[in-house]
Amino acid sequence: VQGLFDQNRRKPNPKNRVEEVTEDAVVAHTSDHLSERFRLAYSAPCYRGQLFDDLGFMGDTKCSQQILEGTYDYPSDTDIWTKKILQEAQHTFARMSGMEIATTISTADFQQYWRRVDERTSSSFSGITFSHYKAVASHSMLSAMHAAYLTSCARRGIPLARWEIGLTVLLEKIVGNNSVHKLRAICLLEADFNWINKMIFARRMIGTALERNLIPGECFSKKGSNCINAVMTKIFICDESRIHHHDACIAGNDFGDCYDRAAHPIAALSLRSFGVPQPAINVLLETMETMRFFLQTGFGESKTSYGGSHEERLAGYGQGNAAAGPGFTAMSSLIVNAYLRDGHGARIYSSYYKRLLILAAVMYVDDTDLVNWASVPSCTPIELIAAAQTATYAWGGLALQRVLQ
């Protein structure tokens, strides 16, 4: 990033004149764009109407519990796709049978992790870096003290004030393209906040979800799987289509800004359905909603910050957050299951296994390919395209929680 801004500090304009780019201009333009990006989720209908009044920003109301228990009376103006996702959260919550993910951090947990970390890992605008925690891990009493305050935060749902300040670093997605809207915004969070997110959401929640088979087979970004499995699955689908002379099509329907655009009311209920206690969810979401970000550029760390407050909240998980991947997995699992429950997805009789396979999509994080399999072998191309379009509308409605026209 430093080299990126150094190269563009003097930017040629169309008239071949050199224009001086100031730090204030870079910070102001980038901050405005990122502030807008982190609020894109507010286009979702779960942020409007009576449903939003009942759920709140973090889904920590009595109505949220009623949704999970299946006793909530949905308002008449509730978006149909939002309702389907929330009903799917109810089904997933029932499969947990009341089990909750542990949020206790022990001294052993703290020492086992921090003794082995790489001190060069970037984090913590406050200056309390990996090196500090690695040093603390060698002392039992100090380790116990840190484990105790982390446990207290997770159980009471109250984040530390310093957790609400972060640093944004911009990285290129495409080599040579340094337009702000094409850069990946990595959020460097406080090291202990990011670690407790990793413990609760990435290790414990996802571990329990895998044990209870809550993550559908369509999601390949999980333990025991990788992107090669996803690619091979698509190859096998195409092979089956050729072997059976059965028409099919695969449609690319990637999630845009997946981590940055997560709507918190839906995110909270998806995490609750996976067994995470509400106080731990509140720590995660409230911190991200009120986060103030400083910006790292070629000029150094900015003197001004952008972000949210309790009056004007942000949304999303933030890239670089250890809870972002697990949170997106929980939400996308509900989307896939609701999509299948709505009657969509391919039903393929495998020539390899002689078994009926039901598959909605092939997903690796946000990269999504919907699988559309003709209802009958003699289906015409027009009928197949019409069915694929109907399925795409349904997927788009679930992903965006709004009706697509």
Side-chain angles (χ1 to χ4, degrees):
V1 174
Q2 173 131 18
L4 171 70
F5 281 96
D6 284 343
Q7 292 170 14
N8 289 277
R9 197 172 284 184
R10 290 185 173 272
K11 186 175 77 173
N13 63 18
K15 296 182 180 179
N16 296 321
R17 290 183 301 182
V18 176
E19 219 173 80
E20 187 75 18
V21 178
T22 65
E23 178 182 1
D24 291 342
V26 170
V27 171
H29 178 69
T30 305
S31 298
D32 289 345
H33 173 79
L34 295 178
S35 294
E36 182 180 348
R37 182 191 297 186
F38 294 152
R39 290 184 172 92
L40 290 174
Y42 282 95
S43 63
C46 63
Y47 279 109
R48 297 189 294 274
Q50 183 61 45
L51 180 66
F52 178 55
D53 293 338
D54 291 343
L55 293 181
F57 284 98
M58 299 186 291
D60 54 352
T61 62
K62 291 183 179 179
C63 292
S64 300
Q65 187 62 31
Q66 291 173 357
I67 288 175
L68 295 173
E69 295 172 352
T71 60
Y72 179 70
D73 187 13
Y74 289 90
S76 58
D77 63 345
T78 303
D79 173 71
I80 181 174
W81 300 109
T82 303
K83 183 177 179 180
K84 288 179 184 294
I85 289 182
L86 296 179
Q87 289 174 333
E88 197 59 47
Q90 171 197 335
H91 295 304
T92 303
F93 183 74
R95 292 174 62 184
M96 288 295 293
S97 304
M99 177 184 175
E100 283 196 338
I101 304 301
T103 57
T104 301
I105 303 297
S106 67
T107 303
D109 291 332
F110 186 90
Q111 292 181 323
Q112 182 180 12
Y113 177 80
W114 289 108
R115 283 175 175 172
R116 299 180 299 169
V117 297
D118 185 350
E119 297 181 58
R120 296 172 296 177
T121 304
S122 299
S123 69
S124 304
F125 184 78
S126 66
I128 308 175
T129 63
F130 273 51
S131 299
H132 293 81
Y133 295 108
K134 189 165 188 175
V136 167
S138 63
H139 194 287
S140 297
M141 187 182 72
L142 293 178
S143 298
M145 182 189 71
H146 280 71
Y149 79 69
L150 291 173
T151 299
S152 180
C153 290
R155 287 184 174 179
R156 295 180 178 274
I158 302 175
L160 299 180
R162 63 178 171 83
W163 289 354
E164 297 177 355
I165 301 177
L167 183 69
T168 303
V169 178
L170 298 173
L171 303 178
E172 288 183 349
K173 291 183 181 178
I174 304 171
V175 177
N177 190 337
N178 56 15
S179 299
V180 175
H181 67 285
K182 289 295 185 180
L183 296 177
R184 191 184 306 278
I186 304 299
C187 304
L188 298 183
L189 307 177
E190 287 296 308
D192 54 345
F193 171 63
N194 218 14
W195 174 64
I196 194 173
N197 288 342
K198 178 180 289 187
M199 285 293 295
I200 294 174
F201 298 98
R203 293 189 178 178
R204 296 175 182 174
M205 185 193 79
I206 293 299
T208 301
L210 291 172
E211 290 175 2
R212 292 180 172 252
N213 199 29
L214 299 182
I215 303 174
E218 285 84 350
C219 300
F220 286 86
S221 56
K222 57 189 177 184
K223 186 177 181 179
S225 181
N226 54 49
C227 59
I228 302 301
N229 299 131
V231 172
M232 291 302 299
T233 298
K234 289 195 291 183
I235 292 174
F236 289 148
I237 292 169
C238 295
D239 286 347
E240 291 291 353
S241 176
R242 286 191 290 267
I243 291 170
H244 293 290
H245 302 286
H246 200 118
D247 292 333
C249 68
I250 296 177
N253 293 268
D254 296 352
F255 288 86
D257 299 312
C258 58
Y259 289 174
D260 297 333
R261 203 169 183 163
H264 284 183
I266 302 298
L269 284 165
S270 65
L271 294 172
R272 283 285 291 117
S273 70
F274 272 58
V276 181
Q278 188 65 49
I281 297 173
N282 287 353
V283 170
L284 168 65
L285 299 186
E286 183 177 350
T287 301
M288 300 311 300
E289 287 176 358
T290 60
M291 180 77 72
R292 300 298 304 179
F293 289 105
F294 289 84
L295 192 62
Q296 176 73 48
T297 70
F299 298 98
E301 294 179 357
S302 64
K303 300 176 181 64
T304 58
S305 64
Y306 70 94
S309 64
H310 286 97
E311 291 73 32
E312 296 183 4
R313 298 172 183 250
L314 302 178
Y317 289 116
Q319 299 188 57
N321 187 347
F328 184 76
T329 297
M331 192 181 298
S332 60
S333 295
L334 299 186
I335 292 174
V336 169
N337 290 332
Y339 178 81
L340 290 171
R341 198 178 298 275
D342 202 44
H344 303 288
R347 286 156 176 79
I348 306 170
Y349 186 77
S350 173
S351 58
Y352 293 99
Y353 305 109
K354 294 185 177 180
R355 295 175 61 183
L356 178 65
L357 306 178
I358 301 177
L359 189 68
V362 178
M363 298 179 61
Y364 193 82
V365 193
D366 60 325
D367 296 329
T368 304
D369 292 321
L370 293 185
V371 181
N372 298 284
W373 193 260
S375 57
V376 293
S378 58
C379 179
T380 65
I382 294 178
E383 292 172 333
L384 176 61
I385 292 172
Q389 187 64 73
T390 300
T392 302
Y393 280 146
W395 183 264
L398 291 166
L400 301 173
Q401 294 122 58
R402 61 185 175 197
V403 178
L404 302 178
Q405 300 295 336

